[in-house]
Amino acid sequence: MLSEFDLIKQYFVRPAHASKAQLGIGDDCALLGVAPGRSLAISSDMLVEGRHFFAGEDPRRLGHKSLAVNLSDLAAMGARPAGFTLALALPAADRDWLAGFSTGLFALADAHDCELIGGDTTKGPLNICITVFGEVVSGQALRRDAAQPGDDIWISGTLGDARLALAGIRGEVVVAGDAQRQAEQRLHLPTPRVALGLLLAERGLARAAIDISDGLVGDLEHILERSRVGATLDVDALPAGPVLAGYDPELRRAFTAAGGDDYELCFTAAPAQRAAILAAGDACGTPVTRVGRIDAAPGLQLTDGQGSPLELRLAGFDHFGNGTP
Amino acid sequence: MLSEFDLIKQYFVRPAHASKAQLGIGDDCALLGVAPGRSLAISSDMLVEGRHFFAGEDPRRLGHKSLAVNLSDLAAMGARPAGFTLALALPAADRDWLAGFSTGLFALADAHDCELIGGDTTKGPLNICITVFGEVVSGQALRRDAAQPGDDIWISGTLGDARLALAGIRGEVVVAGDAQRQAEQRLHLPTPRVALGLLLAERGLARAAIDISDGLVGDLEHILERSRVGATLDVDALPAGPVLAGYDPELRRAFTAAGGDDYELCFTAAPAQRAAILAAGDACGTPVTRVGRIDAAPGLQLTDGQGSPLELRLAGFDHFGNGTP
C-alpha cells in the first residue's frame, strides 16, 4: 500500500526542479518570497467527512476545527495569520449547517485577525479545503530542517486528551461522561498556538518546529529526517492532558507520544534559551515543557523517566495506511 | 433553493467587516497587498467527481483541467502565475491514476512556470482543490468592478464547443465522432488565456475582465453588477468554436451566449484601445472579437446581428440550482 508520504514523494515532489519558492513541499507551510525580507507562509488542509471528522459533526465545531488545523501550520512556522480561502463541497445548501459552520469559522478567524478573502462552493460529498496565508520575516521562519545536535526538544500545552476522546468514542477505553466531554473539547476545538509560534520566531528563540497533528513521534521524525539528526525523547516527561493524566502510565505514554490531533507545537532550541522560552510561554499563557534533546546520531530513542530505553508500539497517522478516524 | 451566490453572500461575505485584503470575495481572484505596489492574486477552485467531471475521467486530462481553471482566474486578473497548492482526496492511492494526473498537471504548470509549492492528500471521495497564486502590479489588476459606460466588450478565442461536447455526451445534440472528439478537446483541455490577460493588464488596455466558466451571459452580468452598469451584447457577433460553427443559428446563439466551460476571457476596454487590443491578441496568438458595449443604464440587452432585441432562454450554471454536469 502506498503511504501518504510516498505518494507525495513519488508523484508530486520534483527534486531536480529549480524552485522559485523559498521553501516548497515538506514543511508545515510553503514560503513564497513576496518582498525583500518578507515571506508569505502558505498551507492547505483538506478535511473529509468520515476521515477527519464524524458524519453529523456539529457544524460550529467543524468550522472552528477546519480553520484551527490550518492556523496551527502557520503557528509551526512562526507566521502571523493574514487571510484564508475556503473551498467547500456540500451535499446540500442546508441553512442551519451553514449558519453554524460560518459562526464557528469566523469566531476563530476574528480572534486571529485572519480574513476570509475568497474561495469556492460546490455540491458534492462534504469536503472542506482551507488555504491559509501568513506573514513571516525571511530567516525567522521555524523550519523543519533547522534542528541542531544539542538542542532541547519542547512541547507546548498538553498531549493525548484528543486521542483519549477518540478512544472513548470508539469504545477502546472507558471514559466517564464528564471526562469524555472535557477530552472531546480538545478533539473538536483545538487551540492553534499562534501567539507562541510568533514569539518563538520573532524573538529568535526556536530553531525547528512542527505542529503535532499526526502524533508526536511521527511528527518529530519529520524534523529529524529533514534536519539529518537524531533525538532522545523522555516519554514520561511528556505533559499529559488533564483527563489522560488520570489514566495508567502505559496508556498515558502511548497517547502522549503518538496520539495525534493535539495541534500543539514541538520545537527545538538551544539550551541557552531555556529561561527565555519559559518566559515566552508565560507571556502568551501557553505552558511549555522540555521533553528531550536532539542528537547528532540518527534515530529516535524513547526513554522512560529514569533514562532507560522504552519500547512502545506506536504508529503515526497515515491517511492511506490506516482505517477511518 | 439557496443558490451558490446567495449562499456565499448570506453566510460568508461580511460587508461591515474592515478588510485587509485589497480585493476580497466576489472577483476572479482575491488581491493581497504583499509589498508596496505589488499584489498577490489568489484563487481557489474545487473540482468534484460527478459535478465538474465525469466518473472515470482520464486522469491526465483531469490534471490539466484542474490547474487550467485556476490559471484562467489569474488570467482574468492579468496576474502572472507564481505557484499553487494542491489538496487531493482520493478513494485509493492508484498508481496509474496518480501518474496520469501528475503528468497532465505538471505539463501545464511547467508551460506557465507555475510551481506546486505544497498541499495535502487524504482518502475520500475524489475531490481536487487547487489554490493558485499570481503576481500583479497594484492598480493594473483587471477587476470586475472597473467597466465604464462606452467601453467595448471583447471575447478571447471562441465559445460554445465545450458546451456542444457536453450536449453530444448527454445525447441532447447529435455530434459526429470526429467533431465530438474535436469539441471534447475544448471541454477537457481548456487553454487558460494567461498571456493575453498579462498583456491587457501590463499595457493598460482593458478595464474589467472575467473568465467565462459559467457561460458568457451569467459571467458578464457579474461585471455589470459590480461595475453598476448595463450592456448591449450582439449575440450573432459571438465567435463560435469551429465545431459549433457548423450548427444552426439557434443552437449557436445559445451555446456561445451561455454554454459554460469555455475558459475564455470577457473584458471591457475603451474604444480608443481597439487597435492595441487586436495587436495584443496577435502578439500572443489569441484571437479577440468585439461583441458589444457597456451602457450607463442597467440591464443586459441581447441583440441579433441587425441590432434587433433577441430573446434567448439562457441560464448560467449554478452549483446548487442545477443538476449534474
Side-chain angles (χ1 to χ4, degrees):
Chain A
M1 186 63 186
L2 200 60
S3 78
E4 182 181 6
F5 301 109
D6 289 341
L7 184 162
I8 293 169
K9 207 165 166 180
Q10 283 185 35
Y11 296 102
F12 296 110
V13 177
R14 302 198 291 170
H17 203 69
S19 179
K20 282 186 293 185
Q22 297 166 323
L23 183 62
I25 295 171
D27 213 304
D28 295 281
C29 294
L31 292 178
L32 205 60
V34 289
R38 287 180 60 206
S39 301
L40 201 65
I42 301 171
S43 180
S44 282
D45 274 294
M46 179 175 265
L47 276 71
V48 175
E49 187 175 62
R51 189 84 198 162
H52 302 90
F53 57 91
F54 294 100
E57 168 65 347
D58 173 59
R60 196 162 173 156
R61 294 195 307 203
L62 195 54
H64 173 100
K65 186 162 181 174
S66 301
L67 183 58
V69 304
N70 279 283
L71 288 173
S72 184
D73 285 318
L74 290 185
M77 298 300 286
R80 183 179 299 279
F84 67 104
T85 60
L86 166 69
L88 195 56
L90 297 170
D94 179 310
R95 285 177 188 276
D96 287 343
W97 192 95
L98 283 161
F101 181 84
S102 57
T103 300
L105 181 81
F106 285 130
L108 186 66
D110 289 350
H112 291 281
D113 201 15
C114 188
E115 185 182 355
L116 177 64
I117 57 171
D120 194 12
T121 58
T122 184
K123 196 168 180 171
L126 185 53
N127 185 308
I128 303 154
C129 183
I130 285 180
T131 303
V132 75
F133 313 100
E135 294 162 4
V136 63
V137 174
S138 303
Q140 283 187 356
L142 308 175
R143 301 166 55 135
R144 295 184 183 177
D145 60 5
Q148 293 185 16
D151 276 3
D152 295 322
I153 301 172
W154 296 78
I155 299 292
S156 69
T158 65
L159 302 174
D161 272 3
R163 180 65 181 84
L164 182 65
L166 197 58
I169 292 166
R170 286 176 178 168
E172 298 167 349
V173 177
V174 177
V175 188
D178 274 357
Q180 178 68 26
R181 273 186 292 278
Q182 193 186 340
E184 282 189 20
Q185 292 289 310
R186 287 301 304 268
L187 179 64
H188 296 305
L189 295 168
T191 304
R193 300 303 189 182
V194 174
L196 178 64
L198 273 173
L199 284 184
L200 293 175
E202 288 174 0
R203 296 181 181 176
L205 303 179
R207 287 198 177 110
I210 192 168
D211 83 317
I212 309 170
S213 51
D214 296 342
L216 169 59
V217 164
D219 286 324
L220 176 57
E221 274 172 352
H222 294 308
I223 287 185
L224 304 186
E225 193 182 321
R226 306 267 303 185
S227 300
R228 299 166 187 271
V229 293
T232 304
L233 190 69
D234 178 356
V235 174
D236 288 340
L238 297 176
V243 186
L244 180 62
Y247 282 76
D248 67 79
E250 197 180 352
L251 193 75
R252 227 163 51 213
R253 284 170 173 167
F255 282 7
T256 52
D261 251 339
D262 288 312
Y263 300 100
E264 295 292 352
L265 299 184
C266 170
F267 57 96
T268 84
Q273 304 291 2
R274 283 177 192 173
I277 286 169
L278 291 170
D282 278 348
C284 61
T286 304
V288 288
T289 308
R290 198 154 46 82
V291 298
R293 66 161 194 278
I294 297 293
D295 303 323
L300 174 58
Q301 312 301 323
L302 304 182
T303 69
D304 65 14
Q306 276 69 49
S308 304
L310 196 66
E311 282 290 332
L312 285 180
R313 284 195 337 153
L314 304 169
F317 191 81
D318 182 301
H319 287 292
F320 287 96
N322 282 9
T324 48
Chain B
M1 185 61 185
L2 199 61
S3 79
E4 182 181 5
F5 300 110
D6 289 341
L7 186 161
I8 293 170
K9 207 165 167 181
Q10 283 185 37
Y11 296 102
F12 295 110
V13 177
R14 302 198 292 171
H17 202 70
S19 178
K20 282 186 295 186
Q22 298 167 323
L23 183 62
I25 296 171
D27 213 303
D28 296 281
C29 294
L31 292 178
L32 205 60
V34 289
R38 286 179 61 206
S39 302
L40 201 65
I42 301 171
S43 179
S44 283
D45 274 295
M46 180 175 264
L47 276 72
V48 175
E49 187 176 63
R51 191 83 198 162
H52 303 91
F53 57 91
F54 295 100
E57 167 65 345
D58 173 60
R60 196 163 174 154
R61 294 196 305 203
L62 195 53
H64 173 101
K65 186 162 181 176
S66 302
L67 183 58
V69 303
N70 279 282
L71 289 173
S72 183
D73 285 318
L74 290 186
M77 298 299 288
R80 184 179 298 279
F84 67 105
T85 60
L86 167 68
L88 195 56
L90 297 170
D94 178 311
R95 286 177 186 276
D96 288 344
W97 192 93
L98 283 160
F101 181 83
S102 57
T103 300
L105 181 81
F106 284 130
L108 186 65
D110 290 349
H112 291 281
D113 201 16
C114 189
E115 185 182 353
L116 177 63
I117 58 170
D120 194 13
T121 58
T122 184
K123 196 168 178 171
L126 184 55
N127 184 308
I128 302 155
C129 183
I130 286 180
T131 303
V132 75
F133 314 99
E135 295 161 4
V136 63
V137 174
S138 302
Q140 284 188 356
L142 309 174
R143 303 167 54 135
R144 294 183 183 179
D145 61 5
Q148 294 184 15
D151 276 4
D152 293 323
I153 300 172
W154 296 80
I155 299 292
S156 70
T158 65
L159 302 174
D161 272 2
R163 180 65 183 83
L164 182 66
L166 197 59
I169 293 166
R170 287 176 177 168
E172 297 167 348
V173 177
V174 177
V175 187
D178 273 357
Q180 178 68 24
R181 273 186 291 279
Q182 193 186 340
E184 283 189 20
Q185 293 288 311
R186 287 301 303 268
L187 179 64
H188 297 305
L189 295 168
T191 303
R193 301 302 190 182
V194 174
L196 178 64
L198 273 173
L199 285 184
L200 293 176
E202 289 174 358
R203 296 181 181 177
L205 303 180
R207 288 200 176 106
I210 192 169
D211 84 317
I212 308 170
S213 51
D214 296 341
L216 170 59
V217 164
D219 286 322
L220 176 57
E221 273 171 354
H222 294 308
I223 287 185
L224 304 186
E225 194 182 320
R226 306 267 304 186
S227 301
R228 299 165 186 272
V229 293
T232 305
L233 189 69
D234 177 356
V235 175
D236 287 340
L238 296 176
V243 186
L244 179 62
Y247 283 76
D248 67 81
E250 198 182 350
L251 193 75
R252 226 164 50 212
R253 285 170 172 167
F255 283 5
T256 52
D261 250 339
D262 288 312
Y263 300 101
E264 295 292 351
L265 299 184
C266 169
F267 57 97
T268 84
Q273 303 291 3
R274 284 177 191 173
I277 285 169
L278 291 169
D282 279 349
C284 59
T286 303
V288 287
T289 308
R290 197 154 47 83
V291 297
R293 66 159 194 278
I294 297 293
D295 302 322
L300 174 58
Q301 312 300 325
L302 304 181
T303 68
D304 65 15
Q306 275 68 51
S308 305
L310 197 66
E311 283 290 332
L312 284 181
R313 282 195 338 151
L314 303 170
F317 190 80
D318 182 300
H319 287 291
F320 287 95
N322 282 10
T324 48

